[in-house]
Amino acid sequence: MDFGLSEEQQLLEQTLRGFLAEHVPIERVRELRDADCPNDRSIWSALAELGFAGVLVPEAQNGSGLTLLDAALVAQALGHSATPSPFLASGIMAPMALATAGGTAADAWLEGIGSGDLVMGVAVTELFSVREGAGVQQRGGQLHGRAMMAVDACNANLLLVAIDSETFAVVKTDAAGLEITRLNTVDATRCTSEAVFEGVRPEAVFDGAGDAIRRMLEAGRIALAADALGACEAMIEQSVAYAKERKQFGRLIGSFQAVKHMCSEMIAELEPARSLLWYSAHSFDAMPEETPLLACHVLAHVSEIAREIASVSTQVHGGIGWTDEQNLHFWFKRIANARHLLGGPEHLRDQAAKLQGFAPAA
Amino acid sequence: MDLEFDARYDDFRSEVREFLSKHKPPKSLGVAEEEASGRITWLSLLIEHGYWARTIPEAYGGYGAPPDLLETVIMDEEFNRVGVARGFNAQGPSMLVPTLLTHGSEEQRKRWISPTMRGEIIWCQGYSEPGSGSDLASLQTSGTEDGDDFLLNGQKIWTSTADKAQMCFILVRTEPDAKKHEGISYVLLPMDTPGIEVQRLETMSGSIGENSFNQVFLTDVRVPRANVVGKRGEGWKIANTTLKHERSSLNANAEGTLLRLAKLMQKETIGGVPAMASPMYRDRLMKLQARALTMKHHGMRMLTCNLKGEPAGVAGLIVKLQNCQLSFDMAALAIDVMGELGALYDHTKYERERGYWQALSMFSLGLIIGGGTAQIQKNIIAEHGLGLPREPKPAKV
């Protein structure tokens, strides 16, 4: 009976953050921005060896079978270190969809995903936002159409593609008729791409999978909020450290109230958001009836405070914060990209209102 | 994270429900003299059942139960559900009692805690002075040694409920030669002592709203030296433990206010259409709901820290800052939803909810300033929470 992290969770967080600080320092992130895809498989293999690829994979498929709160702590650590990895798609969303949908094919993929041998991207944007007339349809057992802003797809083995709110398919990324093209965003630490389907034969189609799709989106949104919150933590830490060493007018800038108040306002937004994140992630396993609303609210809220924290942290650094050399922009851009990746704040708040009967359902 | 309610808690919940179905609180639970008998009976009944003063030791008139987060949550949920206050939100129970538990002598604890929790004694807080607001430690009210007593002289301001209180916990300068922070003592002062004059201080919210603010003038007020809490000259340190309680305990019940706001938006119509149908107002409501949710769960996190005796660190310092602003922002949306009728006040025709939202707006603004302004809170968060350096002292002119 306790509102907080367990000793095991604190240990998990420490272990992972320690590992990332050593093996994925920001200089490594900088190197990866010039790669074709930032999702370097050697980093992912190392994370998989530590058991982080299979956090949400059930024990029956040799995964760790942990809770979403554990997984959120992993996402937060990855955001904190701005680590490029396919964790959002392959560690959170795909396993949640497959484990909920079930079946022999799903079980086999889950085992591969948990070991890190298989990486599965997800293409789900059209579930909540259709741009450029995108969308993927099934015709005669083949997939046609286009999915925008697919996550972690270009260095993956498999791609999960949503067809509608009840149906998803899994395809091989090297299947005939499938073209995956990287779409460069401001964020060099996350892989996004376009997937064009011209008569692609899927490995499997999951019908009547409404619950699987809903749970996948909820888990993804909570994990993405955790990732952004971790990025905010990193930016605040750097701002406070800089304010304690930078001198102007013969004083440490951190002794100026204007700078102090910027830092206080950032931490005053971060800490309550952390509490909501813990509760939302915990609800996913313990009180799933509460999760649909919480997942919308936590991501919308974190997206709002994260934009402000990203801006203010940069301002605390002054001109140097705006340079490429200072590295702060890796987190700024990771936050910027996360904002609309699984539904923007306006969309999520509209969903939250609908869930409570405050707005007419679509 | 463990928020499971096991069978034991089901029993506890039905126990609380049964209590609430059998017992009704007095009509009002305020600090006024005419409310005293109803208040004392009700609080004593709550203590007897362990719903108030639950974790205060029996020796000091409490119920003496070990701290338990879920029991606290259940009691709050059940009392909130029937709209009954669980205890008595006044400065004695919320500020003085925690201070005495930490710093008081055995005799002081035995004498004051029980009647304070039972609502027999109403306390006011004598901290601010006309010349010492944000810079509280510069306070000048003096306590001059005179035999076994101190003679108090000076003026206090923002002393809420001073007109109704029997006792005051007051900060006075007893060591005029010591450094600013080291010359202050924390003293328990009976309000019927000769030489005390209380003057009402009108605030911007006028007739609506129940808080009465006052100025207190002290002229040769005699108080025994034995009434000092802790050591002489350590009053600043002691007052800060109390202020810390104020900072992390200012629970605005944001969730309740948000529900009330949502109801208003469903009821209030503009051109015959409910305000809730407007995407603009609705989006603002959803933003506020997310903030209310953060503070609700943050409150659970802080409660866990309190009950386990673990320091909450910077996460505890931000509570007052965030809750007061949230409360102000919720009132602002309600007023906007009522539009041109939102400014109606003083029980005028067409006024909604007897002026509740305008009163809440102004009262929240008072809370943003009181107990350390938002800007002082931000200094404290930065210096004590984040370790940023203090502002250098200006050179003496």
Side-chain angles (χ1 to χ4, degrees):
Chain A
M1 186 279 308
D2 202 321
F3 190 100
L5 300 181
S6 68
E7 274 174 37
E8 291 82 4
Q9 285 165 337
Q10 290 174 30
L11 188 68
L12 174 149
E13 193 170 41
Q14 266 172 25
T15 311
L16 178 56
R17 288 192 180 206
F19 172 84
L20 292 169
E22 195 186 329
H23 293 94
V24 196
I26 199 67
E27 294 74 23
R28 179 89 183 97
V29 176
R30 177 175 280 277
E31 285 164 21
L32 287 170
R33 75 169 160 182
D34 298 322
D36 288 339
C37 171
N39 287 347
D40 182 81
R41 285 295 274 264
S42 72
I43 294 176
W44 187 237
S45 301
L47 286 169
E49 239 168 75
L50 294 169
F52 292 112
V55 175
L56 289 184
V57 172
E59 283 174 302
Q61 281 77 48
N62 296 324
S64 314
L66 295 178
T67 66
L68 190 68
L69 179 53
D70 301 297
L73 296 175
V74 175
Q76 202 177 339
L78 294 169
H80 183 264
S81 53
T83 299
S85 87
F87 185 69
L88 181 61
S90 207
I92 300 273
M93 296 178 69
M96 194 42 67
L98 294 172
T100 310
T104 326
D107 287 352
W109 286 323
L110 279 167
E111 204 159 327
I113 285 172
S115 70
D117 294 339
L118 277 184
V119 170
M120 193 179 283
V122 297
V124 299
T125 308
E126 283 70 33
L127 289 174
F128 49 84
S129 175
V130 176
R131 307 261 170 175
E132 301 284 333
V136 176
Q137 298 84 35
Q138 251 192 115
R139 280 199 306 272
Q142 292 185 331
L143 301 180
H144 297 269
R146 194 152 39 94
M148 304 282 282
M149 302 303 276
V151 179
D152 299 330
C154 68
N155 222 352
N157 311 88
L158 295 160
L159 179 64
L160 183 158
V161 54
I163 293 165
D164 56 44
S165 62
E166 301 284 324
T167 319
F168 70 89
V170 173
V171 298
K172 284 186 174 162
T173 49
D174 59 4
L178 176 62
E179 179 94 17
I180 295 173
T181 314
R182 176 102 194 271
L183 294 174
N184 291 326
T185 67
V186 288
D187 177 16
T189 72
R190 198 183 286 288
C191 162
T192 41
S193 50
E194 174 190 32
V196 178
F197 297 78
E198 286 176 349
V200 179
R201 199 160 288 284
E203 299 300 303
V205 175
F206 294 82
D207 293 307
D211 275 349
I213 290 176
R214 182 177 55 78
R215 293 285 277 172
M216 164 179 68
L217 268 185
E218 286 169 11
R221 284 170 175 166
I222 293 168
L224 187 59
D227 188 295
L229 203 77
C232 288
E233 272 180 309
M235 293 193 86
I236 296 173
E237 283 164 15
Q238 291 173 74
S239 299
V240 170
Y242 187 74
K244 287 177 184 173
E245 67 179 39
R246 168 78 170 169
K247 277 188 173 174
Q248 286 290 275
F249 303 100
R251 289 164 58 176
L252 291 171
I253 61 165
S255 70
F256 287 105
Q257 282 198 343
V259 175
K260 270 184 206 174
H261 290 192
M262 286 199 280
C263 295
S264 300
E265 284 161 12
M266 291 194 285
I267 201 78
E269 292 299 342
L270 182 98
E271 287 301 335
R274 187 199 303 277
S275 304
L276 179 60
L277 174 73
W278 286 355
Y279 186 78
S280 305
H282 177 66
S283 82
F284 189 85
D285 297 283
M287 299 153 281
E289 68 284 356
E290 292 189 32
T291 312
L293 181 67
L294 288 165
C296 288
H297 269 320
V298 76
L299 181 56
H301 181 75
V302 168
S303 293
E304 298 291 14
I305 67 163
R307 173 180 272 178
E308 189 64 17
I309 288 171
S311 160
V312 173
S313 301
T314 310
Q315 292 177 55
V316 169
H317 285 76
I320 198 79
W322 202 56
T323 64
D324 176 59
E325 189 194 344
Q326 181 68 25
N327 293 326
L328 205 62
H329 59 90
F330 284 108
W331 288 275
F332 181 99
K333 293 165 181 171
R334 191 170 174 112
I335 287 168
N337 188 22
R339 188 175 173 93
H340 290 278
L341 204 58
L342 294 177
E346 287 77 14
H347 169 77
L348 294 168
R349 287 194 292 267
D350 192 43
Q351 291 295 306
K354 284 182 175 131
L355 284 166
Q356 298 172 88
F358 291 158
Chain B
M1 192 71 91
D2 178 3
L3 305 170
E4 286 289 313
F5 291 87
D6 65 30
R8 189 168 71 78
Y9 290 107
D10 290 342
D11 293 347
F12 183 70
R13 191 185 287 277
S14 20
E15 213 177 275
V16 180
R17 272 192 199 174
E18 199 187 323
F19 172 87
L20 286 167
S21 68
K22 278 191 189 151
H23 302 281
K24 291 278 162 272
K27 254 196 202 131
S28 62
L29 199 65
V31 296
E33 183 57 43
E34 59 271 19
E35 295 165 300
S37 84
R39 177 179 72 225
I40 294 165
T41 311
W42 176 245
L43 293 176
S44 303
L45 184 71
L46 290 185
I47 296 175
E48 193 187 307
H49 286 81
Y51 302 144
W52 175 235
R54 184 170 182 82
T55 56
I56 290 174
E58 282 178 84
Y60 310 137
Y63 184 75
D68 186 310
L69 174 64
L70 276 194
E71 285 175 355
T72 312
V73 171
I74 289 170
M75 288 188 287
D76 283 339
E77 278 179 3
E78 292 303 317
F79 275 71
N80 278 339
R81 222 160 45 91
V82 292
V84 172
R86 187 169 75 77
F88 183 46
N89 186 20
Q91 294 190 318
S94 66
M95 313 249 317
L96 174 80
V97 169
T99 305
L100 287 182
L101 285 170
T102 318
H103 298 284
S105 67
E106 187 61 16
E107 199 197 327
Q108 286 167 339
R109 292 176 191 176
K110 286 218 159 107
R111 174 150 177 213
W112 300 113
I113 292 179
S114 174
T116 301
M117 296 309 290
R118 285 175 193 280
E120 291 162 13
I121 298 178
I122 303 298
W123 291 80
C124 60
Q125 170 191 287
Y127 283 11
S128 295
E129 296 179 7
S132 303
S134 289
D135 184 13
L136 182 61
S138 70
L139 60 90
Q140 292 302 321
T141 294
S142 60
T144 320
E145 211 172 315
D146 186 47
D148 286 341
D149 301 330
F150 283 123
L151 280 182
L152 311 190
N153 282 285
Q155 184 186 348
K156 294 289 175 181
I157 194 170
W158 305 118
T159 326
S160 47
T161 69
D163 49 341
K164 302 179 185 82
Q166 289 86 43
M167 293 291 296
C168 177
F169 49 99
I170 186 169
L171 294 180
V172 295
R173 188 163 298 283
T174 53
E175 332 296 316
D177 301 327
K179 280 191 215 155
K180 176 160 122 173
H181 293 87
E182 289 160 18
I184 297 168
S185 295
Y186 188 108
V187 179
L188 307 179
L189 169 68
M191 289 297 284
D192 60 1
T193 315
I196 300 179
E197 191 200 334
V198 176
Q199 260 180 31
R200 205 177 143 79
L201 184 65
E202 292 300 334
T203 66
M204 67 186 291
S205 57
S207 59
I208 308 182
E210 52 191 272
N211 254 60
S212 60
F213 286 95
N214 303 276
Q215 301 200 72
V216 178
F217 299 87
L218 304 141
T219 315
D220 290 333
V221 176
R222 192 168 284 279
V223 60
R225 272 161 51 192
N227 283 22
V228 171
V229 176
K231 291 204 182 87
R232 267 176 74 157
E234 288 191 354
W236 179 255
K237 206 175 73 191
I238 293 167
N240 266 313
T241 32
T242 336
L243 282 173
K244 208 160 69 190
H245 279 281
E246 191 176 27
R247 267 174 223 129
S248 67
S249 77
L250 261 176
N251 185 348
N253 185 19
E255 207 184 18
T257 311
L258 191 102
L259 279 176
R260 189 167 175 167
L261 174 55
K263 276 191 192 139
L264 173 78
M265 286 176 57
Q266 285 165 321
K267 220 174 100 189
E268 188 72 29
T269 60
I270 307 151
V273 181
M276 191 65 99
S278 150
M280 281 94 82
Y281 291 132
R282 206 165 57 219
D283 192 59
R284 281 176 67 183
L285 180 71
M286 289 300 97
K287 277 187 182 174
L288 290 168
Q289 184 173 46
R291 284 169 64 194
L293 282 170
T294 65
M295 292 318 292
K296 176 187 173 182
H297 296 109
H298 196 64
M300 305 248 302
R301 183 172 149 205
M302 292 304 98
L303 199 55
T304 301
C305 290
N306 281 346
L307 294 178
K308 289 165 95 179
E310 285 171 3
V314 72
L317 298 176
I318 57 95
V319 173
K320 190 228 169 198
L321 180 71
Q322 295 298 77
N323 269 339
C324 299
Q325 188 62 47
L326 174 58
S327 184
F328 184 83
D329 292 347
M330 288 194 283
L333 174 55
I335 290 165
D336 290 351
V337 160
M338 296 183 285
E340 60 284 2
L341 302 188
L344 295 175
Y345 205 53
D346 278 335
H347 309 326
T348 309
K349 192 179 176 188
Y350 304 121
E351 181 192 57
R352 270 51 167 169
E353 301 184 44
R354 296 189 63 76
Y356 173 80
W357 296 105
Q358 281 289 356
L360 178 66
S361 164
M362 291 186 270
F363 187 68
S364 313
L365 178 58
L367 287 179
I368 289 173
I369 298 167
T373 65
Q375 290 66 38
I376 290 291
Q377 301 297 333
K378 288 176 195 173
N379 285 353
I380 293 170
I381 295 164
E383 289 164 19
H384 298 257
L386 301 173
L388 288 170
R390 290 181 66 91
E391 189 132 12
K393 289 219 166 79
K396 289 247 161 67
V397 193

